[in-house]
């Protein structure tokens, strides 16, 4: 009864708030979805929904001419007298009569080419007409699942059972936003979210926004993960062929040319479909284009379709985009999804200029209570009516949310989830109290057991307590970890407390202490899993360890936009360790190296003598040009690839057990990832540092560099590692300069090579350099292929490395698996 009553209320709200509404059908009575409806010579418009229904809200009473525009159909118009009362106006669209051009004998005189050349020549002038504007913006995003599998890898898939139907299909996500937009080309934006609605979340904030919908075909590239080429880009003829399909006249008797867009190579990021160009002005009238996922380096995406409609205003003489839809289909591992984003732009104004400080680093913000608007508000402002499916989803998920928030439901879920099984003893177990947002976790030894030659087989368990505040998006966690080295026969333990204090500055506080076995390089260049395999199967024990008994406190916060400070103080006792296990899974005459990186053949001499030291560290990171979103529950930073990031570090060792262990260290780092249009990305990382008063400091406090001798990338970035450098061969307590650079062509070159373009790979070339005093500079040159794999499962990268230092040093092959960073 409650469900039916909710439907009645929604219907009454819709009826009472509609101003001009109606339905658009074709001559066979079939609904025409996503037709462009607008009031002539105004910027008041909308689009029809899946059922062909539409609603319009004029600002004042008067006589209006309604125009309905849809590709493939004649533009229809009706004159209405609006007096503030609801009006129903239906449209029946007739198929457009496309006038075919005369047959062209000379292929060089292709009329489509001439039109496209003129569109390219007029691209900048047409773009300039909408280079500065304000408007109202509406967005709706919808994701569906289709034929969801009942099981996956032997596990039951039941987390969507309440929202899908008997065919295991349904809406997973539905959200809407209404905002005020201020924009200046190419990318200066200010968006104020007036209303935000997420189905099933009464306090949800939709991430639909205008920046993600800013697909401008007057630009050379459309950013769709890779840079897709616009059909009227400067270099468009290198990527497309064109065919003239014919022309028709619009309501103002302007000739509109329909041109088929055909990719020259289906392996490159080029669209197929149609672009409609206005004769004489050569402005865009509409686009109806599709691109495949493999073309934009996204194998999980089957296809993406983008439609845009533009309307002409006789008063301003401007063609402006008023509706846009983005449809996609995706699937992987038997999971199939589809979705649509619907965008409506209305009430344009084109000022000659904006006041200073119109645009700031805050590119998006939410008005107070933007996510608390009721149905009455939404039914009065929503420009595209909800379909029955969408209305049902809002009602159904509201009821589900109410149930899910109840203590009885959460307790019942926890009762099922908190059951303890025998395997939990070794794999781990979590006890949850969902109503109070807290949990207790036991981490079993199954996934944390590893081997190293210092401890032998090492098993670790952990216990933690977590408390969340979901409204404020904060938490705190307290826990302990205990590990035991079986060959070393030693038990070690540590405790920690971690808290996210608030979200405006993303402040964190961490306290920790205990006994640890650490790598000399605190960046942990070799992972425990890789070291286990390397040691047991190849007798290459590259991981070098020492013991640290310490107490640490650290705090980090963004003091102002783009500047983040991290401060820490640590007191620690450091002790050398020796190999205690020489176990291996293979028979080999090769011997393990010692745990002393400086004397690999000496098992008796320690890498250093035991000492105590206090370390203080202050690091400042400057993200130049950083922009951000503001929400009531926090701040969300957006990187700006046009500017580099600068990091400055000062570290001081003091109060050492001997003054020779005290030191000062400074370091600067600058890194950036540059987008080179459709030619890929260039990433660089430059570091320079210097020790002072550090002639006799202990080896753990040296600057160590991320080497690699395993032929496997552990899942980290490739611009912070030397792929063929022994781990501790260049460690220094003096000065250093470290440089990494890598270019990924994103398929720009590979897609043009016959046969190789079938594998959809990316060509990666790199250069790495390390310079320290009294040592010949070290160089590495790399070339590799990324995005390798089978069908949609693209997880492999392979690199060839050649290194030089006073001449040729050696070669290596490096394998990278993209999921290794998730496994560790």
């Amino acid at each position: 009864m409650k469900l039916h009553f909710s439907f009645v209320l929604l219907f009454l709200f819709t009826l009472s708030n509609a101003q001009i509404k109606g339905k658009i059908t074709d001559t066979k009575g079939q609904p025409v979805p996503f037709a462009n409806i607008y009031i002539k010579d105004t910027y008041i418009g909308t689009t029809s929904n899946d059922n062909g229904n539409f609603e319009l809200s004029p600002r004042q009473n008067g006589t209006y001419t309604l125009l309905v525009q849809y590709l493939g159909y004649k533009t229809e118009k009706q004159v209405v007298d609006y007096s503030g009362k609801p009006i129903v106006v239906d449209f029946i669209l007739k198929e457009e009569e496309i006038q075919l051009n005369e047959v062209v004998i000379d292929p060089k005189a292709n009329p489509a080419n001439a039109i496209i050349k003129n569109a390219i020549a007029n691209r900048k002038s047409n773009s300039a007409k909408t280079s500065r504007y304000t408007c109202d913006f509406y967005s709706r995003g919808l994701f569906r699942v289709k034929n969801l599998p009942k099981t996956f890898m032997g596990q039951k898939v039941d987390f969507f059972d309440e929202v899908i139907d008997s065919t295991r299909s349904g809406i997973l996500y539905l959200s809407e936003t209404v905002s005020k937009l201020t924009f200046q080309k190419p990318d200066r934006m200010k968006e104020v979210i007036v209303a935000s609605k997420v189905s099933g979340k009464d306090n949800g904030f939709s991430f639909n926004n205008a920046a993600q919908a800013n697909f401008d075909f007057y630009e050379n590239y459309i950013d769709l993960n890779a840079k897709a080429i616009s059909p009227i880009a400067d270099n468009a003829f290198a990527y497309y062929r064109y065919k003239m399909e014919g022309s028709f006249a619009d309501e103002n008797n302007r000739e509109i040319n329909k041109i088929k867009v055909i990719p020259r190579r289906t392996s490159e990021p080029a669209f197929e479909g149609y672009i409609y160009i206005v004769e004489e002005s050569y402005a865009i009238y509409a686009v109806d284009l599709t691109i495949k996922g493999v073309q934009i380096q996204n194998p999980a995406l089957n296809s993406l379709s983008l439609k845009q409609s533009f309307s002409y205003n006789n008063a301003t003489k401007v063609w402006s985009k008023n509706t846009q839809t983005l449809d996609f289909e995706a699937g992987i591992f038997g999971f199939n999804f589809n979705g649509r984003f619907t965008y409506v732009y209305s009430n344009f104004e084109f000022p000659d200029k904006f006041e200073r400080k119109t645009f700031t680093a805050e590119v998006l913000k939410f008005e107070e209570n933007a996510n608390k608007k009721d149905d009455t508000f939404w039914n009065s402002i929503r420009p595209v009516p909800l379909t029955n499916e969408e209305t049902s989803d809002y009602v159904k998920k509201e009821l589900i949310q109410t149930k899910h928030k109840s203590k009885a439901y959460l307790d019942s879920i926890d009762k099922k989830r908190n059951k303890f099984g025998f395997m939990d003893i070794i794999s781990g177990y979590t006890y949850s109290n969902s109503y109070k947002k807290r949990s207790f976790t036991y981490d079993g030894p199954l996934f944390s057991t590893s081997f190293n030659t210092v401890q032998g087989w090492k098993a670790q368990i952990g216990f933690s307590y977590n408390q969340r505040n979901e409204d404020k998006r904060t938490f705190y966690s307290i826990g302990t970890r205990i590990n035991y080295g079986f060959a070393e026969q030693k038990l070690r333990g540590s405790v920690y407390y971690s808290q996210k204090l608030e979200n405006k500055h993303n402040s964190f506080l961490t306290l920790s202490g205990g006994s640890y076995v650490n790598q000399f390089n605190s960046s942990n260049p070799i992972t425990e899993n890789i070291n286990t395999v390397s040691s047991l199967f190849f007798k290459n024990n590259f991981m070098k360890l020492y013991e640290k008994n310490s107490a640490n406190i650290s705090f980090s916060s963004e003091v102002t936009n783009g500047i983040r400070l991290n401060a820490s103080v640590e007191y620690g006792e450091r002790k050398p360790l020796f190999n205690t296990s020489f176990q291996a899974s293979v028979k080999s005459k090769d011997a393990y190296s010692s745990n002393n990186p400086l004397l690999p053949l000496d098992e008796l001499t320690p890498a250093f003598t035991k000492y105590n030291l206090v370390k203080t560290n202050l690091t400042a990171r400057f993200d130049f040009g950083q922009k951000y979103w503001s929400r009531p529950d926090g701040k969300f930073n957006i990187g700006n690839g046009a500017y580099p990031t600068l990091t400055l570090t000062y570290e001081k060792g003091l109060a050492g057990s001997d003054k020779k262990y005290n030191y000062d260290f400074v370091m600067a780092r600058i890194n950036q990832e540059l987008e080179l249009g459709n030619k890929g990305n260039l990433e660089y990382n430059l570091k320079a540092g210097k020790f002072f008063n550090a002639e006799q400091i202990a080896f753990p406090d040296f600057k160590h560099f991320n080497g690699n001798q395993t032929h496997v990338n552990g899942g980290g970035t490739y611009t912070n590692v030397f792929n063929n450098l022994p781990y501790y061969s260049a460690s220094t307590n003096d000065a250093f300069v470290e440089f990494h650079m890598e270019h990924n062509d994103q398929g720009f070159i590979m897609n043009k090579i016959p046969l190789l373009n079938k594998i959809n790979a990316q060509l990666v070339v790199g250069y790495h350099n390390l310079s320290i005093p009294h040592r010949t500079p070290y160089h590495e040159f790399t070339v590799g292929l990324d995005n390798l794999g089978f069908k949609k499962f693209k997880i492999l990268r392979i690199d060839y490395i050649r290194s030089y230092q006073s001449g040729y040093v050696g070669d290596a092959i490096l394998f990278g698996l993209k999921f290794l960073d998730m496994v560790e």
Side-chain angles (χ1 to χ4, degrees):
M1 182 65 186
K2 183 177 179 181
L3 180 64
H4 292 162
F5 182 67
S6 298
F7 275 119
V8 171
L9 284 178
L10 283 173
F11 174 78
L12 291 176
F13 282 139
T14 303
L15 183 63
S16 63
N17 287 291
Q19 306 300 328
I20 300 175
K21 69 174 187 176
K23 186 169 185 176
I24 302 170
T25 59
D26 61 18
T27 54
K28 296 179 182 179
Q30 296 299 312
V32 179
F34 300 98
N36 179 23
I37 310 103
Y38 62 99
I39 299 175
K40 185 177 180 180
D41 294 336
T42 75
Y43 294 107
I44 300 173
T46 185
T47 184
S48 56
N49 66 13
D50 280 333
N51 301 323
N53 297 318
F54 73 92
E55 294 176 6
L56 272 177
S57 298
R59 290 182 172 180
Q60 57 189 16
N61 299 346
T63 300
Y64 297 104
T65 300
L66 300 185
L67 296 173
V68 176
Q69 169 187 322
Y70 189 72
L71 299 179
Y73 291 84
K74 290 183 178 180
T75 299
E76 297 291 339
K77 65 180 179 180
Q78 291 192 43
V79 177
V80 298
D81 292 318
Y82 175 67
S83 60
K85 297 179 181 180
I87 298 177
V88 177
V89 182
D90 294 329
F91 289 85
I92 298 176
L93 301 188
K94 301 175 183 178
E95 290 188 9
E96 183 64 70
E97 296 177 0
I98 303 294
Q99 300 297 321
L100 299 178
N101 292 276
E102 295 181 2
V103 177
V104 178
I105 303 300
D106 184 1
K108 295 182 179 179
N110 182 349
N113 289 351
I115 294 169
I116 293 296
K117 287 178 180 178
N118 279 315
I120 294 172
N122 288 274
R123 183 168 60 85
K124 291 184 179 180
S125 60
N126 281 321
S127 177
K129 294 176 182 178
T130 56
S131 63
R132 189 182 298 109
Y133 62 79
T134 64
C135 71
D136 295 335
F137 176 75
Y138 169 80
S139 172
R140 182 186 301 168
L142 183 147
F143 293 81
R144 295 186 185 91
V145 65
K146 185 177 181 180
N147 301 323
L148 183 71
K150 292 184 178 181
T151 60
F152 178 68
M153 298 182 68
Q155 300 296 314
K156 188 176 181 181
V157 180
D158 58 0
F159 35 86
F160 296 129
D161 282 1
E162 288 185 297
V163 299
I164 59 178
D165 58 25
S166 58
T167 66
R168 299 190 64 77
S169 304
I171 297 176
L172 299 184
Y173 175 81
L174 171 62
S175 71
E176 299 174 272
T177 59
V178 174
S179 60
K180 300 288 186 180
L181 179 62
T182 304
F183 182 74
Q184 180 172 298
K185 292 184 178 181
D187 59 359
R188 304 187 74 180
M189 182 175 290
K190 178 181 179 181
E191 184 175 7
V192 179
I193 303 291
V194 176
S196 173
K197 185 179 180 69
V198 180
S199 183
K201 294 184 178 181
D202 57 10
N203 62 344
F205 292 97
S206 171
F207 278 94
N208 301 348
N209 62 83
Q212 294 176 339
N214 188 29
F215 304 119
D216 188 351
F217 285 90
Y218 286 121
E219 298 293 327
N220 283 319
Y221 310 112
I222 309 299
D223 196 351
L224 299 171
N225 185 47
K227 300 289 187 181
I229 312 298
S230 168
I232 58 170
D234 289 335
N235 58 345
F237 280 94
Y239 292 87
Y240 294 104
R241 292 183 292 109
Y242 303 93
K243 180 181 178 182
M244 186 71 180
E245 293 283 302
S247 62
F248 59 90
D250 71 354
E251 73 281 359
N252 292 309
N253 214 29
R254 280 180 291 260
E255 185 177 0
I256 310 299
N257 299 292
K258 180 182 181 181
I259 298 175
K260 188 173 184 179
V261 176
I262 308 164
R264 290 186 178 274
R265 293 166 293 275
T266 57
S267 58
E268 293 190 305
F271 296 93
E272 62 179 327
Y274 298 93
I275 186 168
Y276 296 76
I277 301 295
V278 182
E279 190 66 30
E280 294 185 355
S281 69
Y282 298 101
I284 297 175
Y285 174 83
V287 296
D288 184 0
L289 298 168
T290 299
I291 196 167
K292 295 178 181 178
V294 293
Q295 294 176 275
I296 53 175
Q297 306 293 322
N298 189 343
L301 180 68
N302 296 332
S303 65
L304 184 149
S305 298
L306 184 60
K307 294 182 180 180
Q308 295 179 342
S309 292
F310 293 72
S311 60
Y312 185 77
N313 189 311
N314 286 297
T316 60
K317 310 298 183 185
V318 172
W319 286 95
S320 60
K321 179 174 63 178
N322 53 1
T323 63
Q324 176 176 282
T325 59
L326 181 70
D327 292 84
F328 67 89
E329 292 185 358
I332 192 168
F333 302 133
F335 292 84
N336 296 299
F337 303 91
N338 64 71
R340 169 175 287 159
F341 283 90
T342 303
Y343 308 103
V344 176
Y345 302 79
S346 59
N347 299 320
F348 278 96
E349 293 183 7
F350 300 98
D352 293 331
K353 64 178 181 179
F354 288 118
E355 295 181 1
R356 287 188 61 201
K357 298 184 179 181
T358 295
F359 301 101
T360 65
E362 184 184 49
V363 296
L364 181 148
K365 71 175 182 179
F366 285 74
E367 285 188 351
E368 188 175 357
N369 296 321
N371 62 332
K372 302 294 184 184
K373 306 296 186 182
D374 60 17
D375 289 337
T376 304
F377 172 86
W378 278 101
N379 288 321
S380 67
I381 201 171
R382 181 185 287 121
V384 184
L386 296 175
T387 64
N388 293 336
E389 180 189 28
E390 291 164 341
T391 301
S392 175
D393 188 74
Y394 273 128
V395 174
K396 178 171 62 176
K397 286 182 180 173
E398 181 181 355
L399 297 175
I400 291 174
Q401 179 189 228
T402 302
K403 180 180 75 172
H404 284 186
K405 283 187 173 183
S406 69
K407 187 176 185 302
Y409 175 81
L410 293 173
D411 287 348
S412 68
I413 293 297
D414 286 341
K415 184 177 180 180
K416 179 181 178 181
R417 183 188 299 155
N418 291 338
K419 288 182 179 180
F420 186 83
F422 175 77
M423 285 298 297
D424 294 336
I425 297 173
I426 59 172
S427 62
Y429 172 77
T430 296
Y431 179 86
S432 299
N433 186 324
S434 300
Y435 187 74
K436 294 184 178 180
K437 313 301 180 189
R438 60 182 60 160
S439 62
F440 175 82
T441 299
Y442 157 68
D443 296 315
L446 180 62
F447 300 108
S448 59
T449 296
S450 61
F451 175 84
N452 63 71
T453 54
V454 169
Q455 296 172 284
W457 282 102
K458 182 199 75 172
Q460 178 173 286
I461 61 173
F463 301 92
S464 62
Y465 171 81
N466 303 277
Q467 179 71 62
R468 310 180 311 280
N469 185 325
E470 294 183 350
D471 290 334
K472 295 183 178 180
R473 292 194 306 111
T474 58
F475 67 86
Y476 71 83
S477 177
I478 186 169
T480 182
R481 296 187 181 95
I482 301 169
N483 70 73
Y484 182 75
F486 287 89
E488 189 187 24
Q489 297 183 353
K490 186 166 183 178
L491 184 72
R492 293 182 177 86
S494 62
V495 297
Y496 69 90
Y497 173 83
S498 179
Q499 182 175 1
K500 186 175 186 181
L501 302 173
E502 50 83 45
N503 283 300
K504 183 178 180 180
H505 301 284
N506 284 299
S507 301
F508 292 86
L509 174 68
T510 302
L511 299 146
S512 61
S515 182
Y516 308 88
V517 173
N518 288 352
Q519 295 188 48
F520 285 101
N521 185 345
S522 60
S523 297
N524 298 324
I526 181 169
T527 66
E528 290 188 345
N529 291 338
I530 292 176
N531 181 71
T532 299
V533 174
S534 177
S535 298
L536 292 176
F537 293 95
F538 301 97
K539 299 197 77 173
N540 291 323
N541 56 326
F542 296 125
M543 183 181 284
K544 305 301 177 184
L545 306 165
Y546 72 97
E547 181 178 296
K548 182 172 71 173
N549 303 303
S550 65
N552 177 286
I553 180 171
S554 63
F555 174 78
S556 66
S557 182
E558 187 180 41
V559 294
T560 189
N561 182 55
I563 302 178
R564 185 169 189 85
L565 293 181
N566 297 268
S568 66
V569 178
E570 176 191 86
Y571 171 77
E573 175 195 61
R574 293 160 178 80
K575 298 169 61 176
L577 296 173
F578 297 88
N579 288 338
T580 63
S581 175
F582 300 92
Q583 176 185 351
S585 297
V586 295
K587 292 182 179 181
S588 173
K589 294 181 180 179
D590 295 336
Y592 281 121
S593 61
S594 76
N595 191 50
N596 184 340
L598 304 175
L599 299 170
L601 301 179
D602 188 341
E603 288 285 356
L604 300 177
T605 304
F608 63 98
T609 57
K610 186 179 76 170
Y611 69 103
N612 298 340
L613 187 69
V614 174
K615 273 190 178 183
T616 61
N617 182 289
L618 180 64
T619 297
R621 190 184 73 200
F622 302 86
D623 291 303
F624 299 108
Q626 177 178 278
K627 299 177 181 179
Y628 64 93
W629 297 353
S630 293
R631 292 193 343 189
D633 61 346
K635 177 173 179 278
F636 295 80
N637 294 328
I638 304 170
N640 190 337
Y643 300 90
T645 295
L646 172 66
T647 306
L648 302 176
T649 298
Y650 172 68
E651 184 174 280
K652 185 172 183 63
L654 67 156
S657 51
D658 190 311
K659 65 179 183 180
K660 69 180 182 180
Y661 296 119
N662 299 341
Y663 67 91
D664 296 273
F665 173 70
V666 294
M667 185 180 75
R669 173 191 179 193
I670 185 168
N671 62 287
Q672 185 178 11
E673 183 173 352
L674 296 166
E675 294 183 350
L676 305 178
N678 69 319
K679 298 174 180 62
N681 298 329
L682 177 68
E683 186 175 356
Y684 69 86
N685 183 10
L686 173 64
K687 301 178 187 178
K690 179 74 170 74
F691 284 88
F692 298 92
N693 308 312
E695 291 79 8
Q696 300 184 65
I697 64 173
F699 190 68
D701 301 317
F702 277 43
K703 171 61 180 176
H704 305 290
F705 303 97
N706 296 331
N708 196 339
Q709 295 171 266
T710 66
H711 302 288
V712 177
N713 177 273
T717 174
Y718 283 78
T719 54
N720 197 37
V721 63
F722 296 97
N723 302 287
N724 201 27
L725 178 72
Y727 292 101
Y728 297 101
S729 62
S731 299
T732 183
N733 61 344
D734 199 342
F736 70 90
V737 176
E738 178 182 358
F739 179 69
H740 307 270
M741 181 176 66
E742 184 173 276
H743 175 254
N744 186 320
D745 83 327
Q746 295 288 309
F748 176 73
I749 296 173
M750 293 295 295
N751 291 340
K752 294 178 174 62
I753 303 175
L755 297 182
L756 288 179
N757 60 10
K758 303 297 183 182
I759 64 176
N760 200 228
Q762 301 165 353
L763 178 66
V764 186
V765 294
Y767 170 70
H768 309 262
N769 172 271
L770 177 61
S771 300
I772 59 177
H774 315 298
R775 178 184 172 96
T776 305
Y778 174 83
H779 307 271
E780 278 184 2
F781 298 89
T782 68
V783 59
L785 293 177
D786 198 1
N787 204 44
L788 299 173
F790 177 72
K791 292 187 177 180
K792 296 185 177 183
F793 200 53
K794 303 284 191 175
I795 63 167
L796 179 64
R797 170 171 165 172
I798 301 177
D799 288 89
Y800 166 73
I801 301 103
R802 170 159 283 204
S803 53
Y804 294 88
Q805 189 172 23
S806 297
Y808 168 74
V809 174
D811 301 290
I813 299 294
L814 188 72
F815 297 88
L817 296 175
K818 295 181 181 179
F819 62 79
L820 276 179
D821 54 342
M822 297 183 287
V823 174
E824 288 298 326

